[in-house]
Coordinates of all heavy atoms in Angstrom, one line a residue:
A284 N -106.0 17.3 48.4 CA -106.2 18.3 47.4 C -107.6 18.6 47.1 O -108.4 17.7 47.1 CB -105.5 17.9 46.1
C285 N -108.0 19.8 46.9 CA -109.4 20.2 46.7 C -109.7 20.5 45.2 O -110.8 20.8 44.9 CB -109.7 21.4 47.5 SG -108.8 22.9 47.1
G286 N -108.7 20.4 44.3 CA -108.9 20.6 42.9 C -108.9 22.0 42.5 O -109.3 22.4 41.4
A287 N -108.5 22.9 43.4 CA -108.4 24.3 43.1 C -107.2 24.6 42.2 O -106.2 23.9 42.1 CB -108.3 25.2 44.4
R288 N -107.3 25.7 41.4 CA -106.2 26.1 40.5 C -105.9 27.5 40.8 O -106.7 28.4 41.0 CB -106.7 26.0 39.1 CG -105.7 26.5 38.1 CD -106.3 26.3 36.7 NE -105.4 25.3 36.0 CZ -105.6 24.9 34.8 NH1 -106.7 25.3 34.1 NH2 -104.8 24.1 34.2
L289 N -104.5 27.8 40.9 CA -104.1 29.1 41.2 C -104.1 29.9 39.9 O -103.5 29.5 38.9 CB -102.6 29.1 41.7 CG -101.9 30.4 41.9 CD1 -102.6 31.3 42.9 CD2 -100.5 30.2 42.3
V290 N -104.7 31.1 39.9 CA -104.7 32.0 38.8 C -104.1 33.3 39.3 O -104.6 34.0 40.2 CB -106.1 32.3 38.2 CG1 -106.1 33.3 37.1 CG2 -106.8 31.0 37.8
Y291 N -102.9 33.7 38.7 CA -102.2 34.9 39.1 C -102.4 36.0 38.0 O -102.1 35.8 36.9 CB -100.7 34.6 39.3 CG -99.9 35.8 39.7 CD1 -100.0 36.2 41.0 CD2 -99.1 36.5 38.8 CE1 -99.3 37.4 41.4 CE2 -98.4 37.6 39.2 CZ -98.5 38.0 40.5 OH -97.8 39.1 40.9
M292 N -102.9 37.1 38.5 CA -103.1 38.2 37.6 C -101.9 39.1 37.6 O -101.5 39.7 38.6 CB -104.3 39.1 38.0 CG -105.6 38.3 38.0 SD -106.1 37.6 36.4 CE -106.3 39.0 35.5
S293 N -101.2 39.2 36.4 CA -100.0 40.0 36.3 C -100.3 41.1 35.3 O -101.4 41.5 35.1 CB -98.9 39.1 35.8 OG -97.6 39.8 35.8
T294 N -99.2 41.6 34.7 CA -99.3 42.8 33.9 C -98.3 42.8 32.8 O -97.2 42.2 32.9 CB -99.2 44.1 34.8 OG1 -99.2 45.2 33.9 CG2 -97.9 44.1 35.5
D295 N -98.5 43.6 31.8 CA -97.4 43.8 30.7 C -96.3 44.7 31.2 O -95.3 44.9 30.5 CB -98.0 44.3 29.4 CG -98.7 45.7 29.6 OD1 -98.9 46.2 30.7 OD2 -99.0 46.3 28.5
Y296 N -96.4 45.2 32.4 CA -95.3 46.0 33.0 C -94.1 45.1 33.4 O -93.0 45.6 33.8 CB -95.7 46.8 34.2 CG -96.5 48.0 33.8 CD1 -97.9 48.0 33.8 CD2 -95.8 49.2 33.5 CE1 -98.6 49.1 33.5 CE2 -96.5 50.3 33.2 CZ -97.9 50.3 33.1 OH -98.6 51.4 32.8
V297 N -94.2 43.8 33.1 CA -93.0 42.9 33.3 C -92.0 43.1 32.1 O -90.9 42.6 32.2 CB -93.4 41.4 33.5 CG1 -94.2 41.2 34.7 CG2 -94.1 40.9 32.3
F298 N -92.5 43.8 31.1 CA -91.7 44.1 29.9 C -91.1 45.5 30.0 O -91.6 46.3 30.8 CB -92.5 43.9 28.6 CG -93.0 42.5 28.4 CD1 -94.4 42.3 28.5 CD2 -92.2 41.4 28.2 CE1 -94.9 41.0 28.3 CE2 -92.7 40.1 28.1 CZ -94.0 39.9 28.1
D299 N -90.2 45.8 29.1 CA -89.6 47.2 29.2 C -90.4 48.2 28.4 O -90.1 49.4 28.4 CB -88.2 47.2 28.7 CG -88.0 46.8 27.3 OD1 -89.0 46.6 26.5 OD2 -86.8 46.6 26.9
G300 N -91.4 47.8 27.7 CA -92.2 48.8 26.9 C -91.7 49.3 25.6 O -92.2 50.2 25.0
K301 N -90.6 48.7 25.2 CA -89.9 49.1 23.9 C -90.3 48.3 22.7 O -89.8 48.7 21.6 CB -88.4 49.1 24.1 CG -87.9 50.1 25.2 CD -86.4 50.0 25.4 CE -86.0 51.0 26.5 NZ -84.6 50.9 26.8
A302 N -91.1 47.3 22.8 CA -91.4 46.5 21.7 C -92.2 47.3 20.6 O -93.0 48.2 21.0 CB -92.2 45.3 22.1
T303 N -92.0 47.0 19.4 CA -92.8 47.6 18.3 C -93.9 46.7 17.8 O -94.7 47.1 17.0 CB -91.9 48.0 17.2 OG1 -91.2 46.8 16.7 CG2 -90.8 49.0 17.6
T304 N -94.0 45.5 18.4 CA -95.1 44.5 18.0 C -95.7 44.0 19.4 O -95.0 44.2 20.4 CB -94.5 43.4 17.2 OG1 -93.5 42.7 18.0 CG2 -94.0 43.8 15.9
P305 N -96.9 43.5 19.3 CA -97.4 42.9 20.6 C -96.5 41.9 21.2 O -95.8 41.1 20.5 CB -98.7 42.3 20.1 CG -99.1 43.0 18.9 CD -97.8 43.3 18.2
Y306 N -96.5 41.9 22.5 CA -95.7 41.0 23.3 C -96.2 39.5 23.2 O -97.4 39.4 23.1 CB -95.6 41.3 24.7 CG -94.7 42.5 25.0 CD1 -95.2 43.8 25.3 CD2 -93.3 42.4 24.9 CE1 -94.4 44.8 25.5 CE2 -92.5 43.5 25.1 CZ -93.0 44.7 25.4 OH -92.2 45.8 25.6
E307 N -95.3 38.6 23.1 CA -95.7 37.2 23.2 C -95.3 36.7 24.6 O -94.4 37.3 25.3 CB -94.9 36.4 22.2 CG -95.1 36.8 20.7 CD -96.3 36.3 20.1 OE1 -96.8 35.2 20.6 OE2 -96.9 36.9 19.2
E308 N -96.0 35.6 25.1 CA -95.7 35.2 26.5 C -94.2 34.7 26.7 O -93.7 34.8 27.8 CB -96.6 34.0 26.9 CG -96.5 32.8 26.0 CD -97.5 31.7 26.4 OE1 -97.3 31.0 27.3 OE2 -98.6 31.7 25.8
A309 N -93.6 34.3 25.6 CA -92.2 33.9 25.8 C -91.1 35.0 25.6 O -89.9 34.7 25.7 CB -91.9 32.7 24.8
D310 N -91.6 36.2 25.3 CA -90.6 37.3 25.1 C -89.9 37.5 26.4 O -90.4 37.3 27.5 CB -91.4 38.6 24.7 CG -91.9 38.6 23.3 OD1 -91.4 37.7 22.5 OD2 -92.7 39.4 23.0
P311 N -88.6 38.0 26.3 CA -87.8 38.3 27.5 C -88.4 39.4 28.3 O -89.0 40.3 27.8 CB -86.5 38.7 26.9 CG -86.5 38.6 25.5 CD -87.9 38.3 25.0
V312 N -88.4 39.2 29.6 CA -88.9 40.2 30.5 C -87.8 41.1 31.0 O -86.7 40.7 31.1 CB -89.6 39.5 31.7 CG1 -90.9 38.8 31.3 CG2 -88.7 38.6 32.5
L313 N -88.2 42.4 31.2 CA -87.2 43.4 31.7 C -88.1 44.5 32.4 O -88.2 45.6 31.8 CB -86.4 43.9 30.6 CG -85.3 44.9 31.1 CD1 -84.3 44.3 32.0 CD2 -84.6 45.5 29.8
P314 N -88.6 44.3 33.6 CA -89.4 45.3 34.2 C -88.5 46.5 34.6 O -87.3 46.3 35.0 CB -89.9 44.6 35.5 CG -89.1 43.4 35.7 CD -88.5 43.1 34.4
L315 N -89.0 47.7 34.4 CA -88.3 48.9 34.6 C -88.6 49.6 36.0 O -88.0 50.6 36.3 CB -88.5 49.9 33.5 CG -88.1 49.4 32.1 CD1 -88.5 50.5 31.1 CD2 -86.7 49.1 32.1
N316 N -89.5 49.1 36.8 CA -89.8 49.7 38.0 C -90.2 48.7 39.1 O -90.3 47.5 38.8 CB -90.9 50.8 37.8 CG -92.2 50.2 37.3 OD1 -92.5 49.0 37.5 ND2 -92.9 51.0 36.6
V317 N -90.5 49.1 40.3 CA -90.8 48.2 41.4 C -92.1 47.5 41.1 O -92.2 46.3 41.4 CB -90.9 49.0 42.7 CG1 -91.4 48.2 43.8 CG2 -89.5 49.6 43.1
Y318 N -93.1 48.1 40.5 CA -94.3 47.5 40.2 C -94.1 46.3 39.3 O -94.6 45.2 39.6 CB -95.3 48.5 39.6 CG -96.6 47.9 39.2 CD1 -97.5 47.4 40.2 CD2 -96.9 47.7 37.9 CE1 -98.7 46.9 39.8 CE2 -98.2 47.2 37.5 CZ -99.0 46.8 38.4 OH -100.2 46.2 38.1
G319 N -93.4 46.5 38.2 CA -93.1 45.4 37.2 C -92.3 44.3 37.9 O -92.6 43.1 37.6
R320 N -91.3 44.7 38.7 CA -90.5 43.7 39.3 C -91.3 42.8 40.3 O -91.1 41.6 40.4 CB -89.3 44.3 40.0 CG -88.2 44.8 39.0 CD -86.9 45.2 39.7 NE -87.1 46.3 40.6 CZ -87.0 47.6 40.3 NH1 -86.9 48.0 39.0 NH2 -87.2 48.6 41.2
S321 N -92.2 43.5 41.0 CA -93.0 42.7 42.0 C -94.0 41.8 41.3 O -94.2 40.7 41.8 CB -93.7 43.7 43.0 OG -94.7 44.4 42.3
K322 N -94.5 42.2 40.2 CA -95.5 41.4 39.4 C -94.7 40.2 38.8 O -95.2 39.1 38.8 CB -96.2 42.1 38.4 CG -97.1 43.2 38.9 CD -98.2 42.7 39.9 CE -99.3 42.1 39.1 NZ -100.4 41.7 40.1
L323 N -93.5 40.4 38.4 CA -92.7 39.3 37.8 C -92.3 38.3 38.9 O -92.4 37.1 38.7 CB -91.4 39.9 37.2 CG -90.5 38.9 36.5 CD1 -91.2 38.0 35.5 CD2 -89.2 39.5 36.0
E324 N -92.0 38.8 40.1 CA -91.7 37.9 41.2 C -92.9 37.1 41.5 O -92.8 35.9 41.8 CB -91.2 38.6 42.4 CG -90.9 37.7 43.6 CD -89.8 36.7 43.3 OE1 -89.0 36.8 42.4 OE2 -89.9 35.6 44.0
G325 N -94.1 37.7 41.5 CA -95.3 37.0 41.7 C -95.6 35.9 40.7 O -96.0 34.8 41.0
E326 N -95.2 36.2 39.4 CA -95.3 35.2 38.4 C -94.4 34.0 38.7 O -94.8 32.8 38.5 CB -94.9 35.8 37.0 CG -95.9 36.7 36.4 CD -95.5 37.1 35.0 OE1 -94.7 36.5 34.4 OE2 -96.1 38.1 34.5
R327 N -93.2 34.3 39.1 CA -92.3 33.2 39.4 C -92.7 32.3 40.5 O -92.6 31.1 40.5 CB -90.9 33.8 39.6 CG -90.3 34.4 38.3 CD -89.0 35.0 38.6 NE -88.4 35.4 37.3 CZ -87.6 36.4 37.1 NH1 -87.2 37.2 38.2 NH2 -87.1 36.7 35.9
Q328 N -93.3 33.0 41.5 CA -93.8 32.2 42.7 C -95.0 31.4 42.3 O -95.1 30.2 42.7 CB -94.2 33.2 43.8 CG -93.0 33.9 44.4 CD -92.1 33.0 45.2 OE1 -92.5 32.1 45.9 NE2 -90.8 33.3 45.1
A329 N -95.9 31.9 41.5 CA -97.1 31.2 41.0 C -96.7 30.0 40.1 O -97.4 29.0 40.2 CB -98.1 32.1 40.3
A330 N -95.7 30.2 39.3 CA -95.3 29.2 38.3 C -94.9 27.8 39.0 O -94.9 26.8 38.3 CB -94.2 29.7 37.4
V331 N -94.5 27.9 40.2 CA -94.0 26.6 40.9 C -95.2 25.7 41.2 O -95.0 24.5 41.5 CB -93.2 26.9 42.1 CG1 -92.0 27.7 41.8 CG2 -94.0 27.5 43.3
F332 N -96.4 26.2 41.2 CA -97.6 25.3 41.5 C -98.1 24.7 40.2 O -98.4 25.3 39.2 CB -98.7 26.2 42.1 CG -98.3 26.7 43.5 CD1 -97.8 28.0 43.6 CD2 -98.5 25.9 44.6 CE1 -97.5 28.5 44.9 CE2 -98.2 26.4 45.9 CZ -97.7 27.7 46.0
P333 N -98.1 23.3 40.2 CA -98.6 22.6 39.0 C -100.0 23.1 38.6 O -100.9 23.2 39.5 CB -98.6 21.1 39.5 CG -97.7 21.1 40.7 CD -97.8 22.4 41.3
G334 N -100.2 23.3 37.3 CA -101.5 23.7 36.8 C -101.8 25.2 37.0 O -102.9 25.6 36.7
S335 N -100.9 26.0 37.5 CA -101.2 27.4 37.8 C -101.3 28.1 36.4 O -100.8 27.7 35.4 CB -100.1 28.0 38.6 OG -98.9 28.0 38.0
L336 N -102.1 29.2 36.4 CA -102.3 30.0 35.3 C -101.8 31.4 35.6 O -102.1 32.0 36.7 CB -103.7 30.1 34.9 CG -104.4 28.8 34.4 CD1 -105.9 29.1 34.2 CD2 -103.8 28.3 33.2
I337 N -101.0 32.0 34.7 CA -100.6 33.4 34.8 C -101.2 34.2 33.7 O -101.0 33.8 32.5 CB -99.0 33.4 34.8 CG1 -98.4 32.6 36.0 CG2 -98.6 34.9 34.8 CD1 -97.0 32.4 35.9
V338 N -101.9 35.2 34.0 CA -102.6 36.0 33.1 C -102.0 37.4 33.1 O -102.0 38.1 34.1 CB -104.1 36.1 33.4 CG1 -104.8 37.0 32.4 CG2 -104.7 34.7 33.4
R339 N -101.5 37.9 32.0 CA -100.9 39.2 31.9 C -101.9 40.1 31.1 O -102.2 40.0 30.0 CB -99.6 39.2 31.1 CG -98.4 38.6 31.8 CD -97.2 38.6 31.0 NE -96.1 38.0 31.7 CZ -95.1 37.4 31.1 NH1 -95.0 37.3 29.8 NH2 -94.1 36.8 31.8
G340 N -102.4 41.1 31.9 CA -103.3 42.1 31.3 C -102.5 43.3 30.8 O -101.4 43.5 31.2
G341 N -103.1 44.0 29.8 CA -102.4 45.2 29.3 C -103.3 46.4 29.7 O -103.8 46.5 30.8
W342 N -103.4 47.3 28.8 CA -104.2 48.5 29.0 C -105.7 48.2 29.1 O -106.3 47.8 28.2 CB -104.0 49.5 27.9 CG -104.5 50.9 28.1 CD1 -105.7 51.4 27.8 CD2 -103.8 51.9 28.8 NE1 -105.8 52.6 28.2 CE2 -104.7 53.0 28.8 CE3 -102.6 52.0 29.5 CZ2 -104.3 54.2 29.4 CZ3 -102.2 53.2 30.1 CH2 -103.1 54.3 30.0
L343 N -106.2 48.3 30.3 CA -107.6 47.9 30.6 C -108.5 49.1 30.4 O -108.2 50.2 30.8 CB -107.8 47.3 32.0 CG -106.9 46.2 32.3 CD1 -107.1 45.7 33.7 CD2 -107.1 45.0 31.4
F344 N -109.7 48.9 29.7 CA -110.6 49.9 29.4 C -112.0 49.4 29.2 O -112.1 48.2 29.0 CB -110.2 50.8 28.2 CG -110.1 50.0 26.9 CD1 -111.2 50.0 26.1 CD2 -109.0 49.3 26.6 CE1 -111.2 49.2 24.9 CE2 -108.9 48.5 25.4 CZ -110.0 48.5 24.6
G345 N -113.0 50.2 29.2 CA -114.3 49.7 29.0 C -115.1 50.8 28.3 O -114.9 52.0 28.5
R346 N -116.2 50.4 27.6 CA -117.0 51.4 26.9 C -117.9 52.1 27.9 O -118.6 51.5 28.7 CB -117.9 50.6 25.9 CG -118.6 51.5 24.9 CD -119.3 50.7 23.9 NE -120.6 50.3 24.5 CZ -121.3 49.3 24.0 NH1 -121.0 48.7 22.9 NH2 -122.4 49.0 24.6
G347 N -117.9 53.4 27.8 CA -118.8 54.2 28.6 C -118.4 54.3 30.1 O -119.2 54.8 30.8
G348 N -117.3 53.8 30.5 CA -116.9 53.9 31.9 C -115.5 54.4 32.0 O -114.9 54.8 31.1
R349 N -115.1 54.4 33.2 CA -113.7 54.9 33.5 C -112.7 53.9 33.0 O -112.9 52.7 33.1 CB -113.5 55.0 35.0 CG -114.4 56.2 35.6 CD -114.4 56.1 37.1 NE -113.1 56.0 37.7 CZ -112.5 57.0 38.3 NH1 -113.1 58.2 38.5 NH2 -111.3 56.9 38.8
D350 N -111.6 54.4 32.4 CA -110.6 53.5 32.0 C -109.4 53.6 32.9 O -109.4 54.4 33.9 CB -110.2 53.7 30.5 CG -109.6 55.1 30.3 OD1 -109.1 55.8 31.2 OD2 -109.7 55.6 29.1
F351 N -108.3 52.9 32.6 CA -107.1 52.9 33.5 C -106.6 54.3 33.7 O -106.3 54.7 34.8 CB -106.1 52.0 32.9 CG -104.8 51.9 33.7 CD1 -104.8 51.2 34.9 CD2 -103.7 52.6 33.2 CE1 -103.6 51.2 35.6 CE2 -102.5 52.5 34.0 CZ -102.5 51.8 35.1
R352 N -106.5 55.0 32.6 CA -105.9 56.4 32.7 C -106.8 57.3 33.6 O -106.3 58.0 34.4 CB -105.7 57.0 31.3 CG -105.2 58.4 31.4 CD -105.0 59.0 30.0 NE -103.7 58.5 29.6 CZ -103.1 58.8 28.5 NH1 -103.7 59.6 27.6 NH2 -101.9 58.4 28.2
Q353 N -108.1 57.2 33.4 CA -109.0 58.1 34.2 C -109.0 57.7 35.7 O -109.2 58.5 36.5 CB -110.4 58.0 33.6 CG -110.6 58.6 32.3 CD -111.9 58.2 31.7 OE1 -112.4 57.1 31.9 NE2 -112.4 59.1 30.9
G354 N -108.7 56.5 36.0 CA -108.7 56.0 37.3 C -107.5 56.3 38.1 O -107.5 56.2 39.3
R355 N -106.4 56.8 37.5 CA -105.2 57.1 38.2 C -105.4 58.4 38.9 O -106.1 59.3 38.5 CB -104.0 57.2 37.2 CG -103.7 55.9 36.6 CD -102.4 56.0 35.8 NE -102.1 57.3 35.3 CZ -101.4 57.5 34.2 NH1 -100.8 56.5 33.6 NH2 -101.1 58.7 33.7
R356 N -104.6 58.6 40.0 CA -104.6 59.8 40.7 C -103.8 60.8 39.8 O -102.8 60.4 39.1 CB -103.9 59.7 42.0 CG -104.7 58.8 43.0 CD -104.0 58.9 44.4 NE -102.6 58.7 44.3 CZ -102.0 57.5 44.6 NH1 -102.7 56.5 44.9 NH2 -100.6 57.4 44.6
P357 N -104.1 62.1 39.9 CA -103.3 63.1 39.1 C -101.8 63.0 39.5 O -101.5 63.0 40.6 CB -103.9 64.4 39.5 CG -105.3 64.1 40.0 CD -105.2 62.7 40.6
G358 N -101.0 62.9 38.5 CA -99.5 62.9 38.7 C -99.0 61.6 39.1 O -97.8 61.4 39.3
H359 N -99.8 60.5 39.2 CA -99.4 59.2 39.7 C -99.3 58.3 38.5 O -100.3 58.1 37.7 CB -100.4 58.7 40.7 CG -100.0 57.3 41.1 ND1 -98.9 57.0 41.9 CD2 -100.6 56.1 40.9 CE1 -98.9 55.7 42.1 NE2 -99.9 55.1 41.5
D360 N -98.2 57.7 38.2 CA -98.0 56.7 37.1 C -97.4 55.5 37.7 O -96.2 55.4 38.0 CB -97.1 57.3 36.0 CG -96.9 56.4 34.9 OD1 -97.6 55.3 34.9 OD2 -96.2 56.7 33.9
P361 N -98.2 54.4 37.9 CA -97.7 53.2 38.5 C -96.8 52.4 37.5 O -96.1 51.5 37.9 CB -99.0 52.4 38.8 CG -99.9 52.8 37.7 CD -99.6 54.3 37.5
G362 N -96.7 52.8 36.3 CA -95.9 52.2 35.3 C -94.6 52.9 35.1 O -94.1 53.6 35.9
H363 N -94.1 52.8 33.9 CA -92.9 53.5 33.5 C -93.0 54.5 32.4 O -92.3 54.5 31.4 CB -91.8 52.4 33.2 CG -92.2 51.3 32.3 ND1 -92.5 51.5 30.9 CD2 -92.5 50.0 32.5 CE1 -92.9 50.4 30.4 NE2 -92.9 49.5 31.3
G364 N -94.0 55.3 32.6 CA -94.2 56.4 31.6 C -95.0 56.1 30.4 O -95.2 57.0 29.6
R365 N -95.7 55.0 30.3 CA -96.5 54.7 29.2 C -97.8 55.4 29.4 O -98.4 55.4 30.4 CB -96.8 53.2 29.0 CG -95.5 52.5 28.6 CD -95.8 51.0 28.4 NE -96.2 50.5 29.7 CZ -96.6 49.2 29.9 NH1 -96.6 48.4 28.8 NH2 -96.9 48.8 31.0
G366 N -98.3 56.0 28.3 CA -99.7 56.7 28.4 C -99.7 58.0 29.0 O -99.6 58.6 29.8

């Protein structure tokens, strides 16, 4: 063993997007599209490794730069209609 740790970058698209409050890590998952389902499967695969970390990001943005919405191709929505 080399002491490395697996860090898996996931997304809030593992949820159905209907919550009225911020999601908690233990909330039930219900992805609505292929992207969300594939990220959820990645989480499940990563979770079998002891000490692994799963990080779920949400709407990514930055001051003075391009944000997630601006970075998308026109007419392309990788999610399920949010934004």
Side-chain angles (χ1 to χ4, degrees):
C285 65
R288 177 178 246 178
L289 173 64
V290 178
Y291 180 75
M292 300 301 295
S293 191
T294 175
D295 61 348
Y296 283 95
V297 300
F298 301 112
D299 64 7
K301 296 179 181 176
T303 57
T304 59
Y306 286 107
E307 302 279 333
E308 64 184 271
D310 286 344
V312 292
L313 182 61
L315 299 180
N316 60 30
V317 172
Y318 176 70
R320 288 190 297 274
S321 67
K322 295 305 277 185
L323 181 57
E324 180 58 27
E326 288 186 16
R327 291 177 174 152
Q328 295 291 321
V331 302
F332 293 96
S335 63
L336 297 175
I337 298 168
V338 179
R339 288 180 180 150
W342 190 264
L343 303 179
F344 63 94
R346 190 177 79 195
R349 292 169 50 109
D350 64 24
F351 179 75
R352 177 177 278 183
Q353 292 168 326
R355 292 189 331 205
R356 294 189 313 260
H359 176 71
D360 183 2
H363 46 73
R365 293 182 295 177

